[in-house]
Amino acid sequence: MGGRAYIEIMETLASASPLVDPFGRAISYLRVSVTDRCDFRCVYCMSEDMNFLPKHDLLSLEELDRLCTAFIERGTTKLRITGGEPLVRRDVMHLFESLSRHLTTGALHELTLTTNGSQLARFASQLAAFGVRRINVSLDTLDAQKFRAITRWGDLDKVLAGIDAALAAGIDVKLNVVALRGFNDQEFPEIIRWAHGKGMDVTFIEVMPLGEIEGARVDQYISLNEVRANLLDQFSLTDITYQTGGPARYVRAHETGGRIGFITPLSHNFCESCNRVRVTCTGTLYMCLGQEDAADLRTPLRASPNDGPLHRAIEAAIARKPKGHDFVIDRKTMAPAVGRHMSVTGG
Ligand code: SAM
Ligand code: SF4
């Protein structure tokens, strides 16, 4: 066998091995931000006048497919498309369509997305046709005026119509609610009853210190321990073992029969079981949402039509995945823990 052929065989074998980080955590969940742009400007996520990336810095849909496929070859079984708002990326349905081939082969177990819901009415039936079975829709309030205030630009009716379209298309919807003291914390029982009445799970998220925004996060932050304690006035909650592959811990509300999840990056660190990495729309791989370290995958992706350099870059990055993050929100630490906004790394 020639030297070149031998090297190619060895590269192929290496490229087929699963990705495991230095702490023994297998990487099986990839979140891909397909755009940093959004049709909303949620106050905890973006500043009012954001500078967005020039379009030529973005990976093309074909490049995003290649990148996702490389991860799937290395053991990614759950793929979440996010943003910015993923459904405002032009022709994003082509990406869902091409990625759905990995569902057909069984290599990918779940193709899903996180969306603000504004474009869902247009896309729900196509998403269902491409194998999307469950999605997360972010919705922090059921009050149209408050919704406009928190998203700056959003129209609640459009989001509600989007949710109904997704449910009608047979897609399970989970609501993501960012818990904001003094803004929506009094509304949680109503949101839970409404969501459970439609068969949707609700997950609460602690506000995280990501990116410079107007206003101080210390005023917005409310611990989910407190939220959960307050819910006990109206619901009896039982811990359940339900898992979706993400970081939420779930309880069941006896009164509604529905599930409530809690994502607690600050009050309970869940890093020890972290199976996730994130890629931005420019092909930057973040091994941890709460750390600055990152790897450039766009250069190896564009350097060669062969995926060898891409796989080597992914392996080198996973070998540096940190043990965890150390978010804090307190009066002494007013600066964000990391400078990039959630819309860059993707939720
Ligand atoms: N635009 C889509 C959406 O809103 O669902 C997807 C991207 S968005 C960045 C993903 C999730 O991150 C949303 O549920 C949003 O509420 C959440 N998020 C944004 N900034 C956050 C922050 N600073 N702390 C906690 N969650 C945040
Ligand atoms: Fe847009 Fe989602 Fe960020 Fe809101 S949370 S501004 S919808 S990316």
Side-chain angles (χ1 to χ4, degrees), residues 37-38 40 42 44-46 81-86 114-117 136-140 176-178 205-210 217 265 341-344 346-347:
R37 288 166 197 255
C38 186
F40 292 179
C42 301
Y44 48 77
C45 178
M46 294 195 184
I81 306 297
T82 179
E85 175 45 41
T114 302
T115 173
N116 65 24
N136 290 355
V137 178
S138 305
L139 180 60
D140 301 326
N176 275 353
V177 181
V178 175
I205 307 174
E206 285 175 347
V207 68
M208 288 179 275
L210 304 175
R217 283 206 173 83
H341 291 87
M342 189 76 161
S343 54
V344 174

Side-chain angles (χ1 to χ4, degrees), residues 322-333:
K323 198 166 179 195
H325 63 67
D326 29 41
F327 290 143
V328 271
I329 297 187
D330 60 29
R331 300 232 169 241
K332 277 179 268 154
T333 320

Side-chain angles (χ1 to χ4, degrees), residues 228-295:
R228 185 179 166 152
N230 291 341
L231 289 178
L232 291 175
D233 292 343
Q234 306 210 22
F235 301 101
S236 32
L237 306 176
T238 316
D239 287 318
I240 52 174
T241 54
Y242 178 72
Q243 274 289 334
T244 60
R249 288 172 302 151
Y250 283 89
V251 298
R252 189 173 297 285
H254 178 72
E255 289 71 12
T256 58
R259 281 185 293 244
I260 305 170
F262 298 96
I263 301 186
T264 53
L266 285 101
S267 61
H268 170 86
N269 192 306
F270 43 63
C271 303
E272 65 279 1
S273 58
C274 181
N275 57 353
R276 296 172 287 289
V277 289
R278 295 170 159 86
V279 181
T280 70
C281 53
T282 57
T284 304
L285 176 69
Y286 284 97
M287 287 72 83
C288 172
L289 179 64
Q291 303 278 0
E292 300 284 4
D293 188 25

Side-chain angles (χ1 to χ4, degrees), residues 75-212:
T76 286
T77 55
K78 177 166 177 174
L79 186 58
R80 178 175 300 281
I81 306 297
T82 179
E85 175 45 41
L87 297 183
V88 302
R89 169 99 194 229
R90 184 193 290 242
D91 293 332
V92 72
M93 285 303 119
H94 293 330
L95 181 64
F96 281 95
E97 182 173 19
S98 68
L99 289 172
S100 68
R101 71 187 185 282
H102 298 300
L103 291 170
T104 311
T105 64
L108 188 64
H109 301 168
E110 183 170 13
L111 175 60
T112 184
L113 99 146
T114 302
T115 173
N116 65 24
S118 67
Q119 312 294 316
L120 257 183
R122 270 165 72 200
F123 293 123
S125 54
Q126 287 182 71
L127 287 167
F130 299 142
V132 174
R133 297 281 167 262
R134 286 193 310 180
I135 59 173
N136 290 355
V137 178
S138 305
L139 180 60
D140 301 326
T141 173
L142 292 172
D143 177 306
Q145 276 180 0
K146 280 167 76 178
F147 186 76
R148 172 56 62 103
I150 198 79
T151 60
R152 291 199 184 97
W153 298 357
D155 177 351
L156 178 66
D157 283 342
K158 267 196 183 166
V159 174
L160 298 181
I163 289 173
D164 285 340
L167 293 172
I171 298 175
D172 285 345
V173 176
K174 188 189 80 169
L175 282 196
N176 275 353
V177 181
V178 175
L180 299 163
R181 183 182 295 284
F183 175 76
N184 59 0
D185 48 345
Q186 299 304 313
E187 233 190 300
F188 295 159
E190 183 195 341
I191 295 175
I192 290 168
R193 286 197 191 89
W194 174 78
H196 288 176
K198 284 177 167 292
M200 303 189 287
D201 291 347
V202 183
T203 293
F204 294 100
I205 307 174
E206 285 175 347
V207 68
M208 288 179 275
L210 304 175
E212 293 286 352

